[in-house]
Amino acid sequence: MNARIDHLVIAADPLEQGVAWCGATFGVQPSGGGKHALMGTHNRVLDISTVRYPQCYLEIIAIDPEAPAPGRPRWFGLDQPTLREAVRQCPLLVHAVAQTGMMEMLCSAWPTSTSTPAYHWQRSAIRRKAC
């Protein structure tokens, strides 16, 4: 399969804690980011691209306290009580996201018995993929 690392996900609670952690750990502040209405989260991002991993970034993500609950589990397990308690203490690496041009093939293999939907994600938008 033709996949590569797209980004690394650091969970924080609150987001400002994750931004401060990034500055203290790496000596740089994330500069971009935004809000994800579909998931009730918000983030900040930091470019960590290299020749081997072009267009790769670090995402610091947290539940957005100003957003309504999404009515579905948030990505990366952010709703799980044990994770929420852990990231209140210190931000944690919770996920690595891959990029692939073979999304249709992967969705066709997605187990229909799972309660977790697959999401077809693009940098500018997220849409639920029916698979």
Side-chain angles (χ1 to χ4, degrees), residues 4-8 26 28 31 45-59 99 123:
R4 65 175 192 221
I5 294 292
D6 186 81
H7 64 284
L8 303 175
F26 301 116
V28 293
S31 59
V45 296
L46 176 67
D47 184 356
I48 58 171
S49 299
T50 66
V51 171
R52 188 168 179 185
Y53 298 98
Q55 300 176 349
C56 190
Y57 64 97
L58 179 73
E59 175 182 29
Q99 182 182 95
R123 289 196 198 276

Side-chain angles (χ1 to χ4, degrees), residues 86-125:
V87 300
R88 283 185 187 115
Q89 306 301 313
C90 182
L92 295 172
L93 175 65
V94 293
H95 207 74
V97 176
Q99 182 182 95
T100 181
M102 302 177 73
M103 191 65 186
E104 296 304 320
M105 185 273 304
L106 291 171
C107 278
S108 69
W110 193 260
T112 57
S113 61
T114 183
S115 62
T116 305
Y119 290 93
H120 185 172
W121 174 83
Q122 297 171 338
R123 289 196 198 276
S124 61

